[in-house]
Amino acid sequence: MEEEVIIIGAGIGGLATAVALKRVGVRAVRSGVVCRLRKSLYGLRQASRNWYAKLADAMRHYGFRQSGADHSLFIFNRGNIFLAALVYVDDILVVGNNREQCTCFKRYLNRCFRIKDLGLVSYFLGIEVTRMESGLFLNQRNAFVTDVKTKSVQQVPYGANKRGGPKLVHRKTLLQALADELDPDTIRFSRKLTSIESQVKDGHRISVLGLEDGTIIRAKMVIGCDGVHSVIARHLKLRPPVHSGRSAVRGLSVYPEGHGLVPAPQQFVDVSKRAGFSPLNDKDVYWFFICKSPSEEENIENDPEAILRDVMENWAKDFPQSYLDVVQHSDLSTLSWAPLMFRYPWEVVLGNLNTENITVLGDAMHPTTPDLAQGGCMALEDAVVLGRHIGNSVGPDGKLKPEDVQQALGKYVEERRWRAAWIIAASFLSGWVQQDGSDWWRKLLRNVFYKTIFAKIISIAHYDCGRLPNKSETSN
């Protein structure tokens, strides 16, 4: 059989790439809803003044009065009905004592301006709002770092701007959301790639893939999303990733009745050890433990009970009880132990990341340590950027010309090289500063890092992937 595109890999990168290609009108066989940024109104100096004047007129027409103490606050008082609207550029927070009146007011604004109702507030002006049984918990996007030896706690801001800091997403939920965007026959599980060869057809190169069940597939384009130990990366003659000298345990703890934890990341630092946890929602908590790898890796990666026992009774036995309680609630099926691997940044910058019809994506291209939590995010970025370049090359019939494939892959690789290299370097540096060494100057460096550098370095998560051309409707 012959396909336009074959995607090798079953993770976030593979699914996201299939969704992106579907959006641009290319059907990919694997081994929608896309956010589009409209033109900003901030391009003109007078735009903000004109917008605010028009909004204020609409508010007053509805019956609001403007606060004399804060001109961004509008108040509505009529009988026993109270509403307040706080305005920040084009974001409006509405509160009141009558749900029906809040709904009526939002409908009025929609008639005036065609607003988008984001529902109950979760984040506004750098403050995260979480609903708990006891009320609302307001958090200015801070993490808390505890020194295991001294018990001192340092508050680390990581979301001081409007965009905020990183947000945790349940991996299973993300994978399911991506899979739901695809046709069932797009995904083929349990079909391991055993060989890849190239042939010339009509003057152009195509790839011939051999699967372990004997199936032979020919493809105009092959995208390797097959992880750290990528078969496609080896085919491109990329050097294998290297061991960072550290290993990590990761898991998910489940509280059927609710955990009651403050919804803020907690981190615990000791000499050559680092651990932490962060609630995903009111019942699930993600946790990790990172340490220098033993001289001989313990053979426990397939034994979740042994992993849990070693964390509780050996590696983290001196860590705070709050952390050990989270670990104790682990769902054993989610536990993993693995060495932390990465590819040298210069190999990403200088290496061969594509041929005329083959490329790599996600960990297959740029494996990195998890210290900035950008592995999955980078795969999503790759998928959008690749989809954008392919979408700009594909014809209205959804067909790919070989010469256009080569050009699209080349543009994709050149756009991603330096971004990936910077993420790898920043993540490795972040892990080294936070974890290694107990001498006074490294402790001082850690304090400076958390107070001044961490919030800035985590901001590299903000990245504009561009806009996908929407050709899916014309290709059906």
Side-chain angles (χ1 to χ4, degrees), residues 20 61 80 90 145 152 162 168 250 274 290 301 320 323 353 365 370 375 394 415 432 436 439:
H61 184 266
N80 61 349
D90 58 351
V145 181
S152 62
K162 182 182 175 184
L168 285 176
R250 285 170 272 202
R274 185 159 57 94
I290 300 176
E301 59 183 39
Y323 173 75
L353 303 180
M365 178 194 284
V394 71
E415 182 170 339
W432 177 79
D436 277 3
D439 26 17

Side-chain angles (χ1 to χ4, degrees), residues 161-192:
N161 57 41
K162 182 182 175 184
R163 294 182 295 186
K167 300 174 181 64
L168 285 176
V169 177
H170 198 311
R171 181 183 178 89
K172 182 178 179 181
T173 301
L174 175 58
L175 289 172
Q176 187 60 54
L178 292 170
D180 288 345
E181 290 292 313
L182 301 172
D183 298 329
D185 64 341
T186 301
I187 306 172
R188 300 175 184 175
F189 292 108
S190 301
R191 307 184 75 178
K192 184 178 179 181

Side-chain angles (χ1 to χ4, degrees), residues 79-147:
N80 61 349
I81 298 174
F82 172 83
L83 300 178
L86 186 62
V87 179
Y88 179 78
V89 190
D90 58 351
D91 288 338
I92 305 175
L93 178 65
V94 180
V95 298
N97 62 356
N98 188 298
R99 185 181 295 273
E100 184 178 346
Q101 288 299 320
C102 286
T103 302
C104 289
F105 173 57
K106 289 188 290 185
R107 287 174 180 167
Y108 166 76
L109 285 181
N110 190 53
R111 290 196 300 271
C112 296
F113 303 108
R114 292 187 62 188
I115 66 169
K116 182 177 181 181
D117 186 358
L118 299 177
L120 295 175
V121 63
S122 60
Y123 186 77
F124 190 74
L125 294 185
I127 300 176
E128 186 176 35
V129 181
T130 304
R131 283 158 188 80
M132 307 176 70
E133 290 184 2
S134 57
L136 295 179
F137 177 82
L138 305 182
N139 176 28
Q140 286 191 290
R141 288 289 185 182
N142 292 318
F144 299 91
V145 181
T146 301
D147 187 303

